[in-house]
Amino acid sequence: MYQFIDDELSCHLADCVDDLVAQGASVEQAQVEAKQKFGDELAIRTELKRLHPPLLKIALCILTGCALLTGLALFGLVYFKSDSLLGITSQQLLLRWCFFAVIALMVLLDYWVLQFFGIKQRQATVLSLLLTELVVLVITVVLDINNFEVAIHNAIFGLIMLGAMWLLWQHLAWLMRRLTIYGTSVVMIVSAELQRPLFNWVLPHPCLYVIKDDSIPLTGALTHCQQVQWYQPILWLLYIIAAVSIVSLIGWVIQLWRNHGTQLSRKLAVSISLALLSLAPVMTHGINNHGALDIIPWERDIYTAYIEILGRAPQDKDIQFYATTKAYKHLSKVKTVLYNSPERYQKVKQVLQEISGKTPSQKQINYYAHSFMSIEQIRQDYLAKTKS
Amino acid sequence: MTKINKELLKGSSDIMILKVLADGQLYGYEIAKRIKQLSDDVLSMGEGTLYPLLHRLEADHLLESFWQEVGGRKRKYYGLTKRGKKVLAEKTAEWSSFTKAIHSVIHS
């Protein structure tokens, strides 16, 4: 918790030793003399610790711990209760948790970049924005591998902010530089996560769909998009940024590992974070080719509709159908189809038969099947009528 | 070298740090060296005074800091904030009046 005090005082001692060695003392003599000149190290550390009450750090630790436990709990519910409403709701919450976790991780990586290079260096801004651009590209690939208009908008926004900061660098206070870097990163990540292009009112073709073969017609929700071949110039900006980002970040990680002053935990955390970022598109490859992540916010509604109308949870093939066709965007039509489906008819017939013990009449089945009552409501209503 | 009473030094430590940092960002060891250099070795600020004072001035928003990893070491650089520059100007004017007044009394 007070590592920053130890770092500052250790650096002072090391500088003092260097000066004494430069004046002709041996390293051992210099170390002894430096410690003598320094005075009561323990008293100085105690005084500095007294000036920095740990409340904020403790609060931050508790908050981080709670966030991690929440994520773990949600993951557990999703894994073990996947077929229930609780599991489906947890899936939505877990997606939101992941969004916030990515934003927090991004701000933390920016903070580490700034700490490594120092806020005086423009290089810190460049690397920080390149890192954000790369994360935006990863999010775009994970969430929707073919729609890159958000990534293009973010790339342009990032370049504008970088240019502005570069020109105004000397006029910006340190705090302003930090806030601008963090703010830019947050805006870009949120735009990527919500898949909302930043400059939709400026660029003439808001929806791009990247393909390898231009003979496939775009259908359904994609008909308003413009087909773009992967090699077309509009995407070159993204390829250049991705290449420059990857090379720069690898360079930074190498510098980090070579730097004796950086803690091992920081080196590992940065390396693992960047490795996970690179692997994320590979690990999630294919998930969103079938819209599996897009449908998560809608799954609860579909689940509720199936339980009410058909008396069962949707199966995996049902979810896949809605995910690939994006039919979930027209939920009222989906419900109409379910109400008029043969499956509902059979389910209503089964429920009436279970309650009365005999085959219900066609009139009774049609009455309940074409009503907008849920299966449970039908059960209660028919039970009451049968008893009376 | 004339030995300066610690009590005299106490009241002027913060203005010295603010003045030294007015010329640019420095880290703790450099600040102590600069004070010694500018005072021709008359004034020497110990680490027990220097670091608590730097941290206090930062907490009062007169200084701001950043870390930089240089040559395998993590160095904390300090610089003046806008408020720090304003306070330095006020304290410099105050100190000038004070020393002028003391000088007048001593040499009357």
Side-chain angles (χ1 to χ4, degrees):
Chain A
M1 209 169 276
Y2 292 108
Q3 184 65 43
F4 66 98
I5 292 173
D6 294 338
D7 287 338
E8 194 173 12
L9 299 183
S10 305
C11 183
H12 183 107
L13 271 168
D15 287 334
C16 192
V17 166
D18 285 350
D19 267 359
L20 290 168
V21 166
Q23 286 166 22
S26 68
V27 172
E28 293 78 21
Q29 278 175 320
Q31 281 170 348
V32 168
E33 204 179 320
K35 277 197 180 288
Q36 278 174 351
K37 275 187 179 180
F38 198 85
D40 190 349
E41 207 177 315
L42 184 61
I44 297 171
R45 285 182 203 277
T46 307
E47 175 63 17
L48 290 175
K49 282 176 187 177
R50 200 183 59 77
L51 291 171
H52 295 280
L55 286 174
L56 184 64
K57 286 194 194 288
I58 289 172
L60 208 59
C61 284
I62 290 172
L63 201 68
T64 308
C66 288
L68 289 171
L69 282 172
T70 306
L72 204 62
L74 287 172
F75 185 77
L77 283 171
V78 167
Y79 190 76
F80 293 110
K81 297 277 182 188
S82 54
D83 293 333
S84 68
L85 189 61
L86 181 63
I88 289 168
T89 309
S90 301
Q91 210 170 297
Q92 265 181 272
L93 293 173
L94 185 61
L95 193 63
R96 291 278 166 261
W97 184 92
C98 287
F99 282 178
F100 282 109
V102 168
I103 292 171
L105 182 65
M106 194 63 242
V107 170
L108 187 61
L109 284 170
D110 281 342
Y111 175 75
W112 285 341
V113 166
L114 291 177
Q115 241 201 12
F116 186 79
F117 291 103
I119 197 67
K120 285 198 300 182
Q121 308 276 357
R122 289 179 203 211
Q123 187 184 2
T125 311
V126 174
L127 193 65
S128 176
L129 285 177
L130 282 175
L131 177 61
T132 309
E133 298 273 11
L134 194 64
V135 171
V136 163
L137 281 172
V138 168
I139 292 172
T140 304
V141 169
V142 167
L143 290 182
D144 203 332
I145 197 164
N146 296 102
N147 286 40
F148 276 86
E149 70 273 10
V150 172
I152 291 172
H153 286 237
N154 270 311
I156 294 168
F157 176 71
L159 288 172
I160 291 171
M161 290 307 295
L162 180 62
M165 283 197 75
W166 197 272
L167 291 170
L168 298 171
W169 192 250
Q170 296 303 332
H171 305 286
L172 289 173
W174 295 349
L175 181 62
M176 213 54 222
R177 289 178 193 175
R178 280 184 213 280
L179 291 177
T180 309
I181 289 169
Y182 298 144
T184 304
S185 292
V186 169
V187 165
M188 287 167 70
I189 299 292
V190 169
S191 158
E193 287 177 348
L194 298 178
Q195 294 186 58
R196 297 265 188 275
L198 288 168
F199 299 114
N200 220 14
W201 49 281
V202 173
L203 290 181
H205 299 288
C207 177
L208 300 175
Y209 195 83
V210 180
I211 49 162
K212 288 182 198 173
D213 181 349
D214 64 2
S215 64
I216 303 169
L218 296 179
T219 56
L222 299 171
T223 47
H224 71 286
C225 294
Q226 183 194 3
Q227 281 182 287
V228 177
Q229 291 290 328
W230 63 271
Y231 51 77
Q232 277 181 261
I234 198 167
L235 295 173
W236 290 357
L237 177 63
L238 298 182
Y239 300 146
I240 293 166
I241 286 174
V244 172
S245 303
I246 290 167
V247 168
S248 306
L249 288 169
I250 290 172
W252 176 45
V253 170
I254 292 171
Q255 271 185 286
L256 204 64
W257 278 95
R258 281 184 181 167
N259 191 351
H260 300 299
T262 310
Q263 291 147 6
L264 182 62
S265 55
R266 177 79 57 89
K267 291 176 187 178
L268 286 171
V270 169
S271 304
I272 291 169
S273 302
L274 294 178
L276 283 175
L277 267 175
S278 326
L279 290 173
V282 176
M283 291 193 301
T284 56
H285 178 70
I287 285 179
N288 223 38
N289 275 340
H290 305 293
L293 292 177
D294 286 343
I295 199 174
I296 286 175
W298 302 86
E299 242 179 286
R300 195 170 188 276
D301 293 331
I302 293 169
Y303 181 94
T304 313
Y306 266 68
I307 291 287
E308 282 179 4
I309 300 169
L310 300 181
R312 66 165 176 91
Q315 293 171 350
D316 287 345
K317 62 178 173 71
D318 299 318
I319 297 295
Q320 271 171 28
F321 166 77
Y322 292 116
T324 46
T325 62
K326 297 192 192 291
Y328 51 78
K329 292 193 176 182
H330 309 284
L331 202 59
S332 55
K333 285 186 184 169
V334 167
K335 284 183 176 178
T336 306
V337 168
L338 292 177
Y339 273 120
N340 294 324
S341 65
E343 188 183 340
R344 176 163 166 92
Y345 183 91
Q346 292 302 324
K347 183 67 185 178
V348 167
K349 183 179 173 183
Q350 182 196 341
V351 166
L352 299 184
Q353 201 159 350
E354 276 168 11
I355 292 169
S356 64
K358 53 184 181 182
T359 310
S361 69
Q362 203 67 25
K363 193 179 168 188
Q364 280 175 320
I365 300 170
N366 284 336
Y367 169 73
Y368 281 114
H370 298 302
S371 74
F372 290 106
M373 294 162 75
S374 67
I375 297 295
E376 190 52 37
Q377 284 172 330
I378 293 170
R379 197 187 298 275
Q380 299 297 329
D381 189 68
Y382 192 64
L383 197 63
K385 281 182 180 165
T386 311
K387 279 182 179 173
S388 62
Chain B
M1 188 175 80
T2 313
K3 200 172 174 187
I4 305 293
N5 191 305
K6 278 185 183 171
E7 294 301 317
L8 277 177
L9 199 56
K10 261 187 195 173
S12 54
S13 299
D14 52 352
I15 189 177
M16 282 199 293
I17 286 176
L18 292 175
K19 178 61 189 162
V20 156
L21 289 173
D23 298 329
Q25 298 99 22
L26 299 170
Y27 52 95
Y29 185 68
E30 262 188 335
I31 295 170
K33 265 178 82 172
R34 184 70 70 89
I35 289 172
K36 204 173 173 188
Q37 188 188 21
L38 289 173
S39 65
D40 289 329
D41 282 358
V42 171
L43 302 173
S44 173
M45 196 176 288
E47 289 75 7
T49 307
L50 174 66
Y51 284 103
L53 190 52
L54 285 172
H55 284 235
R56 249 182 249 123
L57 290 171
E58 194 181 2
D60 290 339
H61 305 293
L62 301 183
L63 300 182
E64 54 187 355
S65 66
F66 68 90
W67 288 91
Q68 191 168 358
E69 300 195 13
V70 178
R73 280 173 212 165
K74 276 173 88 167
R75 278 215 182 104
K76 191 175 181 185
Y77 285 80
Y78 293 88
L80 284 190
T81 59
K82 274 189 184 159
R83 189 161 168 239
K85 286 176 188 167
K86 196 175 156 199
V87 167
L88 172 61
E90 287 167 8
K91 281 187 181 277
T92 307
E94 194 182 6
W95 187 257
S96 297
S97 305
F98 177 70
T99 50
K100 197 176 168 187
I102 296 285
H103 189 266
S104 301
V105 169
I106 290 172
H107 296 282
S108 61

